[in-house]
Amino acid sequence: MDVSLLLNVEGVKKTILHGGVGELPNFISGSRVTFHFRTMKCDEEHTVIDDSRQVGQPMSIILGNMFKLEVWETLLTSMRLGEVAEFWCDTIHTGVYPMLSRSLRQVAEGKDPTGWHVHTCGLANMFAYHTLGYEDLDELQKEPQPLIFLIELLQVEAPREYQRETWNLNNEERMQAVPLLHGEGNRLYKLGRYDQAATKYQEAIVCLRNLQTKEKPWEVEWLKLEKMINTLILNYCQCLLKKEEYYEVLEHTSDILRHHPGIVKAYYVRARAHAEVWNAEEAKADLEKVLELEPSMRKAVLRELRQLESRLSDKQEEERQCCRNMLG
């Protein structure tokens, strides 16, 4: 089968090489589309630039999620399942392909942890480079040209048919996801599953950070999000305490207090981390600050101080015993 079609898009021509099955899938926003592709130049040899089959893993994109090469959404949504088609795309659609290709190649080389699910954020920094690190892509970037995309459509999944990663969510969905992730993190923490709890808190923080970039710093909406972020970071730090990663706790809590010196829990969590790494004076200073800001926490503070004094006493006794043994 070899049928040439003109899509209702300027600078795109489609040739069906193998017909698909059934009707056109329901391509709704948020659907995950999985496909194999080969990118070729329009020279006589049809020089191959990239081929997902050589990588051994198909490509997936999320419709409506601002995928960097927007024309691919147009191409894919013209296809049926199992269809193989060749698309000629003019330069107006292919200018950003070298940057996308660079990211895909780094994935294939094990340099990029985001997998084949490439999205705008992962490509945003590429404009800062004078070279893409690949001669053929540098050439293509300097002299953009029409390209041919050979695509086989493998699968179309509605939003509810797959587990969506947080970067795939829109702003409304991110906001809805935060309390769910927060609650799940709390549940896992209570079960003693600290690694998993920490991951949930991190996902919620990423959602809020993305939302915060849309707001003007230090204005009301930005500050509301900042408060939620700080709460989640401190929960994350509680997990780190359980995992004995005390210096990372000190880093996060100190960063919060540099910007928001009135957050009581940050002083309390930092005091516990200081105590664990034998920063006794710093731990006491933070606990005194907790009492100053929140007198109702007196009982908890006194407990921490007693534990700190007890550990210091034990440590001093161990050191004295060690000296006696050396002298003996």
Side-chain angles (χ1 to χ4, degrees), residues 110-307:
K111 297 178 182 177
D112 188 335
T114 58
W116 278 92
H117 313 285
V118 179
H119 52 106
T120 307
C121 301
L123 300 167
N125 293 327
M126 294 195 183
F127 292 101
Y129 291 88
H130 296 293
T131 175
L132 296 175
Y134 302 91
E135 287 187 14
D136 61 332
L137 299 183
D138 286 339
E139 179 186 342
L140 199 59
Q141 182 168 248
K142 290 175 185 175
E143 298 180 13
Q145 57 188 269
L147 295 174
I148 295 170
F149 300 110
L150 180 65
I151 296 176
E152 179 184 0
L153 182 60
L154 302 176
Q155 188 176 32
V156 179
E157 299 166 279
R160 295 187 179 183
E161 294 175 347
Y162 67 94
Q163 183 68 39
R164 300 179 73 186
E165 297 176 57
T166 52
W167 62 262
N168 284 332
L169 306 178
N170 60 37
N171 289 345
E172 183 180 352
E173 290 169 331
R174 285 192 179 106
M175 202 64 191
Q176 293 171 349
V178 168
L180 299 177
L181 292 166
H182 192 166
E184 181 65 5
N186 291 348
R187 185 185 72 83
L188 291 165
Y189 182 88
K190 290 176 182 176
L191 292 173
R193 292 155 66 178
Y194 304 119
D195 281 323
Q196 292 170 281
T199 298
K200 294 299 178 183
Y201 293 139
Q202 283 178 305
E203 288 182 26
I205 291 165
V206 168
C207 285
L208 291 171
R209 289 287 190 210
N210 279 319
L211 291 170
Q212 200 179 37
T213 61
K214 313 293 192 301
E215 306 295 339
K216 190 172 181 179
W218 303 104
E219 293 199 348
V220 174
E221 290 304 317
W222 188 94
L223 286 169
K224 285 180 181 178
L225 294 168
E226 182 78 352
K227 184 178 180 180
M228 297 168 70
I229 289 167
N230 288 334
T231 298
L232 286 160
I233 290 174
L234 291 172
N235 284 7
Y236 175 69
C237 286
Q238 298 273 40
C239 297
L240 295 180
L241 285 174
K242 293 292 187 181
K243 295 162 64 179
E244 301 182 2
E245 296 177 16
Y246 306 121
Y247 289 102
E248 188 175 348
V249 174
L250 292 175
E251 181 181 342
H252 289 306
T253 51
S254 295
D255 185 60
I256 288 175
L257 290 169
R258 270 192 296 272
H259 298 95
H260 308 282
I263 298 180
V264 177
K265 187 177 179 181
Y267 285 109
Y268 185 73
V269 173
R270 189 171 71 172
R272 293 181 60 194
H274 273 312
E276 292 294 344
V277 295
W278 304 105
N279 297 337
E281 294 307 313
E282 291 87 345
K284 290 176 183 178
D286 278 345
L287 290 170
E288 287 172 4
K289 192 67 176 179
V290 171
L291 272 182
E292 176 190 328
L293 295 171
E294 192 61 64
S296 64
M297 291 188 65
R298 181 177 181 81
K299 186 176 180 179
V301 168
L302 291 176
R303 183 181 65 245
E304 292 295 332
L305 285 170
R306 284 195 299 270
Q307 290 178 356

